[in-house]
Amino acid sequence: MFGVVDLPTYLAGLVLIVLLPGPNSLYVLSVAARRGVRAGYTAAAGVWCGDTVLMTLSAAGVASLLQANAVLFGIVKYAGAGYLSWLAVGMLRAAWGMVRTRVPAGGEAAVADERPFRRALVVSLFNPKAILFFVAFFVQFVDPGYACPALSFVVLGAFAQLASFLYLTLLIFSGTRLADAFRRRRRLAAGVTSAAGALFLGFAVKLSLASA
């Protein structure tokens, strides 16, 4: 179908990949828990745009360039790790502020300067391992003899975005269930925010140790 081979295997692998926890899904969940459904979908839109850019770059061969150029890969890798670390520090500072002040958890003072779409977009883009993964995974399911391989990438990308939409929607509505508890219990909110910050630091370390 449209130059795509072994579609059932692709879909099975896609489900497993989407369900793996990562900084994108964690950030969307945290935004939904703190700011509600609309902000959660705003962050999710940033993820979808970032993924679309990565898929396009992968189809254009940029992933192969990163894989072949160690210096370029290192620049992207450490820039991404630095940004994730910056987000982690912000989360940890916000958690500390929740404990020390009487501002309600998830209040406007804590998130007034946050731009969920932009942050989610940058988190998605500064992920060289994702670029390499997209090209390594997608290519396996594109028929090299098909006359229009770009259409094959579009079909595969559409399935990937649909799976991401369903998964992030589940996370968004799960996150809003936590919002009321966060507003009532500052220490609970601070604990969860601290845990998210620690995970982001873990993602940063893992990315900094990645190799092409």
Side-chain angles (χ1 to χ4, degrees):
M1 180 182 70
F2 302 113
V4 176
V5 298
D6 203 3
L7 182 59
T9 301
Y10 170 76
L11 294 178
L14 180 63
V15 170
L16 294 177
I17 292 162
V18 169
L19 292 178
L20 287 176
N24 292 347
S25 57
L26 178 61
Y27 181 67
V28 171
L29 176 62
S30 70
V31 169
R34 289 180 287 113
R35 302 183 60 179
V37 171
R38 177 175 295 183
Y41 273 112
T42 300
V47 172
W48 296 326
C49 287
D51 286 348
T52 299
V53 172
L54 292 182
M55 293 175 196
T56 303
L57 293 176
S58 297
V62 174
S64 299
L65 176 62
L66 281 177
Q67 194 169 22
N69 191 319
V71 174
L72 182 59
F73 181 85
I75 292 173
V76 177
K77 176 177 71 173
Y78 289 115
Y83 187 74
L84 291 177
S85 298
W86 179 74
L87 286 181
V89 171
M91 290 181 177
L92 293 174
R93 290 180 60 187
W96 180 246
M98 291 175 192
V99 174
R100 290 181 57 87
T101 69
R102 295 184 178 278
V103 176
E108 290 302 319
V111 297
D113 62 342
E114 185 177 16
R115 294 176 174 83
F117 178 87
R118 187 177 69 181
R119 286 196 176 187
L121 176 63
V122 175
V123 168
S124 298
L125 292 178
F126 279 105
N127 193 346
K129 295 298 290 184
I131 300 175
L132 299 178
F133 169 79
F134 274 128
V135 72
F137 189 63
F138 278 17
V139 168
Q140 300 178 46
F141 302 95
V142 175
D143 182 359
Y146 188 62
C148 186
L151 180 59
S152 304
F153 278 97
V154 169
V155 172
L156 294 174
F159 278 115
Q161 292 289 48
L162 176 60
S164 178
F165 172 80
L166 295 175
Y167 179 57
L168 292 182
T169 293
L170 176 63
L171 291 184
I172 288 169
F173 283 96
S174 297
T176 54
R177 286 180 172 271
L178 301 175
D180 289 338
F182 284 0
R183 281 191 286 268
R184 292 194 303 267
R185 303 174 184 175
R186 284 182 296 144
R187 290 190 179 275
L188 173 62
V192 173
T193 304
S194 297
L199 284 174
F200 266 74
L201 281 177
F203 290 135
V205 171
K206 182 178 179 181
L207 178 57
S208 67
L209 297 176
S211 60

